[in-house]
Amino acid sequence: MKFFIDTADISAIIKANEMGLVDGVTTNPSLIKKAGRDHEQTIREISSIVSGPISVETLSETAEGMLKEADQYITWGSNIVIKVVMTPEGMKAVRALSSRGIKTNVTLIFSPLQALIAAKSGATYVSPFIGRLDDISQPGMELITQIRQIFDNYDLPTEILAASVRNPVHMLDSALTGADVATVPPETLFQIFKHPLTESGIQKFLEDAKAWA
Ligand code: E4P
């Protein structure tokens, strides 16, 4: 499973990238707002740090508007993926972008049939939101399981990008279910290193080494 980092925070991206944890980056308008910097400058900077795919979200409600934004975004880096919302207009845009060989990520997927439509439209990635489903007491992970089964049934090449990942259990379940990618906030990514037995094991080895070092 590939690890994408779900942030527009440059210092977090650099830190995770140095650990070899960044196969790609996803952004959305809320993450850009949180980073508090200019959209284009931020994406250009991310693109200069990370060689993997970087998702940049369109804001228009019409396919025509989305395509205009996409034309602009693809000049910001060689690895830009156009993020499009799961709407009829969004699917028109995905179809047009796909026919031009431009990679797309269909976001705000909350049902398996939405994922199937996005895949049939030629999406490179679908982003089912696990955490937001859990938030309304619907099991988010079931969505990933169902999409995996449908895509496997029909050999669909679209990659499943588990999004709205809120904790390491979401990551583990995504990997067990066969998600192709999980996009993860930096804090969650760094949490994986923390295990009390790893920490106490390091202390014990250091203490024992004092006897002979
Ligand atoms: C990533 O592509 C999504 O926009 C993001 O994972 C959403 O996460 P949230 O539900 O925690 O805002």
Side-chain angles (χ1 to χ4, degrees), residues 39 56-60 62-77 80-84 90 93-94 96-98 100 102-105:
H39 190 200
V56 185
E57 190 157 337
T58 55
L59 301 171
S60 304
T62 62
E64 197 190 349
M66 291 172 194
L67 293 174
K68 271 192 196 142
E69 286 177 80
D71 281 337
Q72 199 189 0
Y73 293 167
I74 57 174
T75 66
W76 295 354
I80 303 299
V81 173
I82 307 301
K83 211 172 180 192
V84 170
V94 166
L97 291 167
S98 163
R100 289 170 54 195
I102 296 172
K103 290 187 176 166
T104 54
N105 173 359

Side-chain angles (χ1 to χ4, degrees), residues 5 7 28 74 83 130 133 146 207 209:
I5 192 164
T7 188
N28 65 33
I74 57 174
K83 211 172 180 192
I130 304 170
L133 279 173
Q146 290 176 337
E207 269 164 39

Side-chain angles (χ1 to χ4, degrees), residues 17-206:
N17 198 39
E18 283 170 351
M19 297 175 190
L21 295 175
V22 182
D23 297 314
V25 181
T26 49
T27 64
N28 65 33
S30 311
L31 293 171
I32 297 292
K33 180 185 170 197
K34 193 173 164 194
R37 297 180 57 223
D38 176 70
H39 190 200
E40 177 176 346
Q41 277 312 109
T42 305
I43 300 297
R44 283 186 182 276
E45 203 169 331
I46 296 172
S47 174
S48 71
I49 300 164
V50 176
S51 55
I54 297 163
S55 289
V56 185
E57 190 157 337
T58 55
L59 301 171
S60 304
E61 289 179 40
T62 62
E64 197 190 349
M66 291 172 194
L67 293 174
K68 271 192 196 142
E69 286 177 80
D71 281 337
Q72 199 189 0
Y73 293 167
I74 57 174
T75 66
W76 295 354
S78 56
N79 46 353
I80 303 299
V81 173
I82 307 301
K83 211 172 180 192
V84 170
V85 287
M86 175 14 92
T87 59
E89 286 296 303
M91 293 312 94
K92 276 194 223 168
V94 166
R95 208 165 269 282
L97 291 167
S98 163
S99 72
R100 289 170 54 195
I102 296 172
K103 290 187 176 166
T104 54
N105 173 359
V106 177
T107 189
L108 292 170
I109 297 266
F110 291 98
S111 85
L113 291 179
Q114 287 181 333
L116 179 57
I117 289 168
K120 283 163 67 76
S121 302
T124 314
Y125 303 97
V126 287
S127 287
F129 277 39
I130 304 170
R132 291 195 198 184
L133 279 173
D134 287 354
D135 289 345
I136 60 159
S137 304
Q138 285 185 20
M141 201 49 59
E142 260 179 31
L143 176 58
I144 307 278
T145 309
Q146 290 176 337
I147 298 172
R148 180 74 281 156
Q149 188 179 331
I150 293 169
F151 284 12
D152 288 350
N153 285 348
Y154 299 104
D155 281 331
L156 293 169
T158 301
E159 294 195 35
I160 302 172
L161 194 169
S164 192
V165 164
R166 303 273 174 78
N167 53 56
V169 177
H170 279 157
M171 280 187 82
L172 172 63
D173 287 342
S174 297
L176 289 171
T177 310
D180 300 286
V181 188
T183 191
V184 185
E187 317 77 62
T188 308
L189 214 44
F190 301 140
Q191 231 181 314
I192 302 169
F193 289 101
K194 292 201 180 303
H195 193 287
L197 291 180
T198 305
E199 278 154 31
S200 61
I202 291 169
Q203 286 314 315
K204 177 84 170 74
F205 285 151
L206 289 176

